[in-house]
Amino acid sequence: MGGGNRFQEPLRISRRRQVRKEKEEVEVNESFKSPNLEAERRRREKLHGRLMALRSHVPIVTNMTKASIVEDAITYIRELQKEVVNLTEKLHEMEEVPLELHEQQMDQIIKHEHETIDLKEEMKNLWIEESVQLCKIGERKLWLKITTEKKPGIFTKFMEVMRFMGLQIIDITLTTSFGATLICSSVQILQGLCDGDSVDLEQTKEFLLEAMRSNP
Amino acid sequence: MGGGNRFQEPLRISRRRQVRKEKEEVEVNESFKSPNLEAERRRREKLHGRLMALRSHVPIVTNMTKASIVEDAITYIRELQKEVVNLTEKLHEMEEVPLELHEQQMDQIIKHEHETIDLKEEMKNLWIEESVQLCKIGERKLWLKITTEKKPGIFTKFMEVMRFMGLQIIDITLTTSFGATLICSSVQILQGLCDGDSVDLEQTKEFLLEAMRSNP
DNA sequence: GTGGACACGTGAACC
DNA sequence: TGGTTCACGTGTCCA
């Protein structure tokens, strides 16, 4: 009993399968059958099937052994988990950090901060308050942001002020939405506006505020 | 023989483990030992360990059965694969599709296309050719894009043309890089520029081209 | 011929 | 209690 195929002649079916057979002989020889013989057989086949299915889901399989299949599955799961974590991090960085990153970069770049900026805090009442913010982001470079009411000709007025102050636009973004206007821009200082102190920045800010407030 | 522990007295160690033991008795009784008995035992323990390790890597385990462990691992792997695909798609959408998406949206929005736009093809010589493109994206709305040499005052000139043509800026983006300037903007038609035909669009385009080409 | 891997049938433990 | 799962020792294949 036990020990599987002790009473069968050596038969070699292709690639070692179904070593069973001659069950009747065994029964005849010993006239004994375990009650859970078939159930056990089903159980084995089930586990075998599951293992094959697992193998089919793992891209790289070093060995066909059962242990190897499970091992490779483990390493594959760990790789997948790592990848998911990496991708999630990347996605989070891309979709929510722009503002924070901007802040951080700004914090590193800005040498003389003209006005404290908290973009996150400010987002709450971004479209409500009329404001002009200037930051010196280089020897002869400024970054500015303006939020104001949406009025026709307000952008032209902005350009006039820029021209008058001798500020050349490096890049600019203007967005109008819900009756409000947002302008972000980096500008190059063409003529001696910045002579070391920040008084001229204050002046520029006042000019811009005045221009934004005045009706066309 | 075979069939495992046929000759041991029933012993119940906690939670079904180490049913073995009394090996010496077996040896004495039968005076026979399979040469690969211990090796087989190690193999079993190894597989068992791997399965436990696999189980520890799968968050939800419905059953402690071997088959269940493998099954849950399979479903978990499929979930992870799905998640990786989803995240990768999302990431790709975010980081490279903006242009394509823009194109698609434009294709849907644009009713009368004034000039064929192939942003991808154009990216190759984006900063080389001087060009003005206009698209009618609404009853009284235009979308325009200008690439030109970087010259001081060119943006002011652009604004002058906009004002002259009676076009109000809805949103605008200006970028200067490597001696070139890119302007993208949506504008609202204030006065009767567009009277049904697109001749006035052509005229606007010519105005803009002329303004971009002329030296300040 | 040696060791690794497998399927087998079985007794026992757990529900 | 049956039904199910498990570990066991063995025979056999294959590298």
Side-chain angles (χ1 to χ4, degrees):
Chain A
M1 345 35 186
N5 40 3
R6 269 197 345 146
F7 301 99
Q8 19 175 357
E9 71 273 17
L11 47 89
R12 55 206 69 192
I13 305 180
S14 67
R15 268 340 262 156
R16 182 204 287 155
R17 276 234 53 90
Q18 291 308 98
V19 190
R20 181 178 1 115
K21 258 197 177 181
E22 324 305 326
K23 192 180 69 176
E24 298 79 9
E25 284 189 28
V26 173
E27 287 174 2
V28 168
N29 284 348
E30 299 245 357
S31 74
F32 180 82
K33 55 178 186 294
S34 188
N36 63 338
L37 197 155
E38 209 173 347
E40 174 65 14
R41 196 172 300 164
R42 278 201 302 270
R43 172 185 164 271
R44 272 197 301 265
E45 284 176 4
K46 186 177 170 185
L47 179 57
H48 181 78
R50 300 294 181 192
L51 278 174
M52 289 304 130
L54 179 63
R55 187 178 68 88
S56 74
H57 281 81
V58 177
I60 48 169
V61 183
T62 60
N63 212 339
M64 274 290 280
T65 340
K66 286 182 177 179
S68 283
I69 291 173
V70 180
E71 194 175 355
D72 295 339
I74 293 175
T75 61
Y76 183 52
I77 283 181
R78 300 189 70 158
E79 283 179 15
L80 281 179
Q81 287 173 335
K82 243 184 215 171
E83 204 168 351
V84 167
V85 169
N86 279 341
L87 288 175
T88 311
E89 276 181 7
K90 251 189 191 172
L91 208 57
H92 267 66
E93 276 178 19
M94 288 198 75
E95 73 184 6
E96 76 176 27
V97 184
L99 279 181
E100 294 177 43
L101 199 66
H102 198 192
E103 243 178 302
Q104 286 177 10
Q105 289 178 339
M106 280 299 170
D107 284 347
Q108 290 178 351
I109 293 173
I110 292 172
K111 309 222 169 46
H112 307 283
E113 197 167 330
H114 185 255
E115 186 175 334
T116 309
I117 303 175
D118 188 346
L119 290 177
K120 266 187 295 190
E121 183 57 33
E122 195 199 345
M123 283 301 283
K124 295 175 186 170
N125 50 357
L126 181 65
W127 303 115
I128 299 171
E129 258 191 282
E130 179 176 76
S131 72
V132 173
Q133 296 175 344
L134 278 88
C135 288
K136 195 175 174 189
I137 59 173
E139 192 58 39
R140 305 187 64 80
K141 266 190 180 176
L142 296 181
W143 177 81
L144 58 88
K145 192 181 105 184
I146 300 173
T147 60
T148 179
E149 242 183 304
K150 182 179 177 181
K151 282 182 289 191
I154 205 161
F155 190 42
T156 308
K157 195 163 285 181
F158 166 79
M159 288 304 300
E160 286 171 0
V161 174
M162 291 294 102
R163 195 177 198 180
F164 176 73
M165 300 299 294
L167 299 174
Q168 188 193 352
I169 308 288
I170 303 297
D171 50 64
I172 187 167
T173 303
L174 177 143
T175 311
T176 60
S177 177
F178 291 106
T181 300
L182 168 68
I183 300 176
C184 291
S185 178
S186 303
V187 296
Q188 182 89 23
I189 301 169
L190 289 183
Q191 49 206 26
L193 171 78
C194 175
D195 298 337
D197 51 349
S198 61
V199 182
D200 300 310
L201 290 185
E202 193 65 43
Q203 191 184 344
T204 308
K205 182 184 168 185
E206 284 308 318
F207 277 179
L208 280 169
L209 265 176
E210 188 59 34
M212 295 302 116
R213 278 174 189 150
S214 66
N215 287 325
Chain B
M1 326 62 171
N5 39 7
R6 272 203 337 153
F7 301 98
Q8 8 171 2
E9 72 272 16
L11 46 88
R12 55 207 72 191
I13 304 180
S14 66
R15 274 332 266 156
R16 182 202 288 156
R17 275 233 56 88
Q18 292 306 101
V19 190
R20 178 176 7 111
K21 258 197 176 182
E22 323 306 323
K23 191 180 69 177
E24 298 80 8
E25 285 189 26
V26 174
E27 286 173 5
V28 168
N29 284 348
E30 300 245 357
S31 72
F32 179 83
K33 55 177 186 293
S34 187
N36 63 339
L37 196 156
E38 208 172 347
E40 174 65 15
R41 195 172 301 165
R42 277 200 302 270
R43 173 185 163 272
R44 273 199 301 266
E45 284 175 3
K46 186 177 170 184
L47 179 58
H48 183 264
R50 300 294 181 192
L51 277 174
M52 289 302 129
L54 179 64
R55 187 177 68 88
S56 74
H57 280 81
V58 177
I60 48 168
V61 184
T62 60
N63 213 339
M64 276 288 280
T65 347
K66 286 182 175 178
S68 283
I69 291 173
V70 180
E71 193 175 354
D72 294 338
I74 293 175
T75 62
Y76 183 51
I77 284 181
R78 300 190 69 158
E79 283 179 15
L80 282 179
Q81 287 174 336
K82 242 184 216 171
E83 203 169 351
V84 166
V85 169
N86 279 341
L87 288 174
T88 311
E89 276 181 5
K90 252 189 191 172
L91 209 57
H92 267 67
E93 274 178 19
M94 289 198 75
E95 73 184 7
E96 76 175 25
V97 184
L99 277 182
E100 294 177 43
L101 199 65
H102 198 192
E103 242 178 303
Q104 285 178 11
Q105 289 177 340
M106 280 301 170
D107 284 346
Q108 290 179 352
I109 292 174
I110 292 172
K111 310 226 167 44
H112 307 282
E113 197 168 330
H114 185 255
E115 187 175 334
T116 308
I117 303 174
D118 188 347
L119 291 176
K120 265 187 292 189
E121 183 57 32
E122 195 199 346
M123 283 300 284
K124 296 173 186 170
N125 49 358
L126 182 64
W127 304 115
I128 299 172
E129 259 192 282
E130 178 176 77
S131 73
V132 174
Q133 295 175 345
L134 277 88
C135 288
K136 194 176 173 189
I137 59 174
E139 192 58 39
R140 305 187 64 80
K141 268 189 180 177
L142 295 181
W143 177 81
L144 58 87
K145 192 180 105 182
I146 300 173
T147 60
T148 179
E149 241 184 305
K150 181 180 178 180
K151 283 181 288 192
I154 205 159
F155 190 42
T156 308
K157 195 164 286 183
F158 166 78
M159 287 305 300
E160 286 170 0
V161 174
M162 289 295 102
R163 196 178 198 178
F164 177 72
M165 299 300 293
L167 299 173
Q168 188 194 353
I169 309 286
I170 302 296
D171 50 66
I172 188 168
T173 303
L174 177 144
T175 312
T176 60
S177 177
F178 293 107
T181 299
L182 168 67
I183 300 177
C184 292
S185 177
S186 302
V187 296
Q188 180 90 24
I189 303 170
L190 289 184
Q191 48 208 27
L193 171 78
C194 175
D195 298 335
D197 52 348
S198 61
V199 181
D200 299 309
L201 291 183
E202 193 65 42
Q203 191 184 345
T204 309
K205 182 183 169 185
E206 285 308 318
F207 276 1
L208 282 169
L209 265 176
E210 187 58 35
M212 296 301 116
R213 280 172 187 150
S214 65
N215 287 324

